[in-house]
Structure formats: C-alpha cells, structure tokens
Amino acid sequence: MKLLGLLVLVASSCTLAAILPRREATPLFFDRQRRNPSPRAEDLLGNLANISEQFFNTAVDHFNHQNQATWSNRYLSMMDHFVPTGPVLIFLAGDVPVAGSMIDENTLINEMARDLGGAVFALETRFYGASLPTEDLSVENLRLLNTDQILADVADFVLHLRRTVVGNPFAHVLVAGTGLGGSLAIWFRVRYPHLTDAAWSSSGYISAVYDFQDFSYGWANTAIDFGSQECYNRIFIAFHVAQNLIDVGLGRLMYEKFNICDPVDADDRIQVAYFFSVLMTSIEVYSLRNGNIEDFTAVCQDIADDSFPTSLDALAFWFNKRFEADNGCVIVDIDMLAESFRETSPTDESNASGARQFLYQQCTEFGWFFTTDSDLQPFGERVQMELYHELCRRVFGDWVTAESMYRATERTNNRFGGSSPNVMQVHFTNGAQDPWRYTSVVEDLNPYALADVIPGELAGGDLKKIDEENDSAELLEVKRRLKEVFEGYLFPFNPR
C-alpha cells in the first residue's frame, strides 16, 4: 500500500522522489515546491466566507475556428470592496490550483482592492486544478497547454468580467501573479495591452532558461550569507566525495549511508545523475519551502554540525532525518519516475497538484531545469541537461529532443522579449535572496516598467498585506510603492 511522502520535486527541476515501505515497489510522489503550495480542498476559499467559486466558458482551442467546443474555467471572486467605477484586479494562479489565500484579506492585492474600490479575482490556469478543457492529460490533449492558449483564456476572462460580472465594459484592469503566474501577467500585458492597464510580476519567471544553472549558484550565495561558509564547504565536500566513491566502484556506500531503496547503478549515467539531483533538490527545496530566510540558517546548522566524522555522514544524517517516514526509503529510479509522470488521469495525486502539466510546459516552452553546470555551486558536476532530455523523452515521446527543448526556450523568449520585454505600466518585484530572480527582471526597463529587489527576502513577501510590525523597512517601502504606482496606472487622470 502506498504511503504519503514528503516531496523533493522542484518546480523547475522536476526531480521526483518517493517514500514507501522497503517491501513496496510503487512510487509515491513528493509534490513540487511552488510559490503557492497546492491548497487543500478546505482551504479553497481562504479566510473570507464571501470569496466565491465561479466558472466561465471559454474556447477549448482559441486558434482553430473549426472547433467550437468550450469548457468551464474556474475562478474565485471577492466583491466586498467593489464600487461601480472601481477596477478589476486579477491574480493569475500559474502552475498551481487556485486558492482563496491568493486574494483573501491577508494579501496586498486585496488591500489594493479595498483602497481603490475594486473587485478582486483569482483565475486558474487551464489543465491545472479543476480547470480541465479535456478529459485527461494525454500528450494529444496537452498540445492545448501552451502560453498562447492560456493568455487567450485570460483575454476571454477580462471580457467576461467587464461585461457580465462588474457591468462596466471600460473597467480598468490589473493582472498580477507570482512564479509562472507573474510571467503570464507580464506576457498578457505584452500580448493584450488593450485589455489590461497594468501588470505586476512578483518573483515571476520572465525569461525561459534552457539550462538553469544559475539557480544553484544563487542558492549557494544565500546559503553562505544566511547559513555559513562552512555549510557550503561541507556540502561541496560531501557531493564530491560521493561522486568519487561512485566513480571508483564504491557506490554501494551511498545505499548504506542514505535511505534509498536500491543501490545506485554506477554504470548508468542517467541513474547517477538522478540520484544526485534528488540529493541536490532535497536541500534546495527544504530551505526554500516556506519562503523564510531563517530556514537556510537551520539547514546549515545541521549540515555544518561538527559531531559527524565526515561531511558525507553529516549530509546523509540530514537527508535521512528530513525525508524518512515510517521506516520508508527514497526511490531514486529514473524509470519509476518516468512511469509516474506518464499517468494521464487528472485525479492522480501528482497530477492534481500539476506535476505532469508543468513538466510538459518545461519540456516544450520554458526549460528552467536545475543543473550543476555552474562552477560556483557546491553540488558537484553530475546533474546535467542529459537527465532532463531523457526524462522528457521517456514521459512524452521521442518527438522531444535536446534540440527541440532548446529551440522551445529560444522561441518563448523571442516572442515575449525574454529579460527585456517591450512593455510599460508594469512593475517587477523580487527577493534579493531568491534563486529564481535570475529568470526575472531586476533592473528598471523604462520609467514605466520599474523593478524592486527586496533585501533579505526570498519569494512572496511582497504578496502579503502591509504589516507595520513585522515587515522590514525595505519591504514596507516596496509595498507602499506598489500601491501608489498601480493607483497611478489604473487612474492616471482621476486618482482615488
């Protein structure tokens, strides 16, 4: 029988591990770390009873006029603060199911709605959560999962809100989001400037990146700054010792030290790469999971503990302690990983959180695969793009190649501008310690496309409402500037 496991799969790396009894052979999936964790059913409507779940109809395929089929796209609505001349504020859920916590009374976008007399909504992305334009997640159906289709959904949603919900065809519109939702907000402003007055990207992934080697580099800098240099050194030594042991035929020591289900096959490059990707992303995910910089300190205190005879022993103890459950073991088998991703049922536990869907988008549009190709990170050299080429091919078919994956990221950047989109009346915010900032915009593009990088923050701190007691001075300044900037963009001639 399957056991629930803790996830080591990261949004960009899609490294999947599982915990199960030693006698079991069926993997259980760890969930991906996201900006907004996948909500429980009871959390759907957040902290306000008057957030309501709604649906609107839109085209299954916006670009095939011979196909007139429609489907129901889910969204959440909160109209408490709305006045007839108020704006429409839309939070794009990105690669996670929609949740009330995205727009409830604890969020800055809700605070903006209150100040501006606006209505606030959270829109779920097609193929995620309950927003399913097709019956399953087969490769044939996933061809309808791409940025163009998603942005056309958002365009229909804006028109639906203006005409049907708020009753004002000229209502001013702000689109916002974080992670993939942040990139979609900016790209919507690029593609449909006539339907939105402003866009806000909070830690958004603005540039597609084929080989996202800077993620581990950025993580390492934060670990040194908020953990210690000794922590970095211990991880560096542990990974390189593990590599050397496998290279000289002593890979069974990894099976004995780490709580993995089977020995690593040293002759299989892909299996070795997957083993190291699980170790690498387990540390990265655990330290980033809460968006709390203090988690780096806690992780580094454990790994830098000098009571262990070697750095490898310290890493193994930390890994086993964090990812062991009910005497279970961690699967590090790439074949079982690929098999799990080939499941096409939307109700599958992993697919319900968006794992297969987001991997498809990574393989066909975005990249964002974590590797060890940078020399300025501590995780060795074994996690390379070959692992992800093979994963995408095994999951989706031989039509996915290294060349097609590379060209996909180039195409995305060419169409939307990469790190320099030609756009105005937008604002970019990022945490100075967030490794994802290397895919975002961290410098002003023009006087109407400004960027704030917030010291001491990871991702998402700016999404919460103003907290005079707990927010840093820099974070308070950014939140106040966001409110002022967007009021000016939405009502340039008639400030509220």
Side-chain angles (χ1 to χ4, degrees):
M1 183 168 118
K2 295 182 179 180
L3 297 176
L4 287 178
L6 195 57
L7 232 179
V8 199
L9 177 60
V10 193
S12 83
S13 71
C14 286
T15 297
L16 186 63
I19 292 177
L20 72 168
R22 289 192 181 275
R23 293 187 298 274
E24 288 286 348
T26 306
L28 281 175
F29 309 122
F30 294 67
D31 199 2
R32 293 180 290 121
Q33 186 221 351
R34 297 187 174 98
R35 299 304 184 199
N36 296 288
S38 300
R40 299 172 299 175
E42 59 267 29
D43 293 337
L44 175 65
L45 300 183
N47 295 329
L48 291 180
N50 49 359
I51 293 179
S52 60
E53 181 185 29
Q54 307 287 340
F55 292 84
F56 81 101
N57 289 334
T58 187
V60 170
D61 187 346
H62 293 277
F63 307 104
N64 178 4
H65 299 300
Q66 296 179 15
N67 181 357
Q68 298 297 311
T70 62
W71 64 287
S72 296
N73 200 153
R74 180 167 68 166
Y75 69 95
L76 301 182
S77 171
M78 208 288 290
M79 303 283 289
D80 269 17
H81 311 302
F82 183 67
V83 298
T85 58
V88 170
L89 311 181
I90 302 171
F91 192 92
L92 303 180
D95 62 322
V96 296
V98 75
S101 58
M102 297 175 178
I103 59 171
D104 68 16
E105 60 190 358
N106 295 315
T107 62
L108 189 64
I109 196 169
N110 187 293
E111 192 172 305
M112 291 179 184
R114 182 197 66 200
D115 294 348
L116 298 174
V120 62
F121 305 90
L123 177 65
E124 195 164 66
T125 305
R126 61 168 51 207
F127 285 98
Y128 291 89
S131 296
L132 301 171
T134 60
E135 291 185 357
D136 62 28
L137 306 177
S138 66
V139 173
E140 174 65 19
N141 287 333
L142 288 179
R143 66 185 173 82
L144 295 168
L145 175 58
N146 59 64
T147 301
D148 288 329
Q149 296 282 0
I150 294 168
L151 296 182
D153 291 338
V154 180
D156 276 3
F157 184 55
V158 170
L159 296 174
H160 167 75
L161 294 178
R162 282 175 164 175
R163 294 168 178 171
T164 306
V165 179
V166 302
N168 178 2
F170 305 106
H172 298 290
V173 175
L174 164 69
V175 289
T178 186
L180 179 59
S183 58
L184 292 172
I186 298 300
W187 297 339
F188 186 71
R189 177 71 179 149
V190 171
R191 185 62 56 85
Y192 296 91
H194 59 293
L195 291 180
T196 180
D197 298 85
W200 169 26
S201 167
S202 172
S203 301
Y205 316 151
I206 307 302
S207 297
V209 181
Y210 172 68
D211 177 350
F212 192 13
Q213 58 185 271
D214 282 339
F215 185 91
S216 292
Y217 162 69
W219 183 93
N221 286 336
T222 301
I224 292 172
D225 292 341
F226 291 86
S228 65
Q229 182 66 53
E230 179 62 20
C231 173
Y232 178 98
N233 294 346
R234 283 292 191 98
I235 296 171
F236 182 95
I237 293 169
F239 272 78
H240 284 79
V241 167
Q243 288 181 176
N244 293 339
L245 289 172
I246 290 176
D247 288 347
V248 299
L250 297 176
R252 187 170 181 83
L253 286 174
M254 301 303 101
Y255 175 63
E256 295 171 357
K257 287 183 178 294
F258 292 89
N259 186 40
I260 58 178
C261 297
D262 297 291
V264 179
D265 183 355
D267 296 325
D268 188 329
R269 286 167 52 87
I270 301 299
Q271 295 288 6
V272 171
Y274 181 54
F275 167 69
F276 280 106
S277 73
V278 169
L279 294 187
M280 175 180 74
T281 55
S282 68
I283 301 173
E284 292 173 336
V285 167
Y286 194 83
S287 55
L288 291 166
R289 72 196 190 286
N290 296 321
N292 186 345
I293 201 71
E294 293 180 1
D295 286 339
F296 277 82
T297 305
V299 169
C300 280
Q301 284 176 345
D302 289 343
I303 292 178
D305 187 339
D306 59 8
S307 65
F308 295 97
T310 70
S311 296
L312 186 60
D313 288 311
L315 177 62
F317 180 83
W318 179 87
F319 179 86
N320 295 339
K321 181 180 177 182
R322 294 293 176 269
F323 301 107
E324 184 177 34
D326 299 326
N327 296 316
C329 57
V330 177
I331 296 176
V332 289
D333 187 319
I334 189 70
D335 295 319
M336 297 185 74
L337 171 67
E339 181 182 353
S340 68
F341 269 122
R342 285 194 291 268
E343 173 59 57
T344 62
S345 170
T347 60
D348 173 79
E349 180 183 357
S350 181
N351 293 342
S353 71
R356 175 175 167 87
Q357 300 93 306
F358 191 71
L359 178 62
Y360 179 82
Q361 292 191 274
Q362 288 182 275
C363 298
T364 59
E365 291 191 281
F366 305 139
W368 300 328
F369 294 107
F370 300 171
T371 71
T372 54
D373 288 338
S374 170
D375 293 332
L376 303 176
Q377 50 78 29
F379 301 112
E381 300 90 27
R382 293 294 187 268
V383 186
Q384 300 176 353
M385 284 303 299
E386 180 184 20
L387 169 65
Y388 305 111
H389 301 155
E390 188 63 19
L391 177 61
C392 292
R393 185 190 68 80
R394 294 189 191 189
V395 173
F396 300 115
D398 292 340
W399 58 273
V400 183
T401 65
E403 181 180 4
S404 74
M405 291 169 65
Y406 176 77
R407 290 187 180 277
T409 59
E410 291 289 291
R411 182 173 60 250
T412 298
N413 288 332
N414 288 338
R415 297 177 75 188
F416 295 107
S419 60
S420 301
N422 185 11
V423 68
M424 298 177 71
Q425 298 200 175
V426 302
H427 204 96
F428 304 91
T429 51
N430 287 277
Q433 311 308 136
D434 181 16
W436 280 100
R437 69 189 183 276
Y438 293 105
T439 66
S440 192
V441 173
V442 294
E443 296 182 351
D444 297 347
L445 298 178
N446 60 61
Y448 300 97
L450 305 179
D452 279 303
V453 179
I454 311 166
E457 291 290 330
L458 293 170
D462 53 312
L463 295 173
K464 302 171 186 175
K465 68 179 181 180
I466 290 176
D467 186 340
E468 300 283 356
E469 293 185 4
N470 298 310
D471 287 346
S472 67
E474 294 88 352
L475 184 56
L476 282 172
E477 181 182 356
V478 168
K479 289 181 178 181
R480 289 168 179 151
R481 180 159 49 248
L482 283 166
K483 294 176 67 174
E484 179 181 355
V485 164
F486 287 123
E487 180 177 1
Y489 289 162
L490 293 172
F491 299 102
F493 306 112
N494 183 26
R496 293 293 169 120

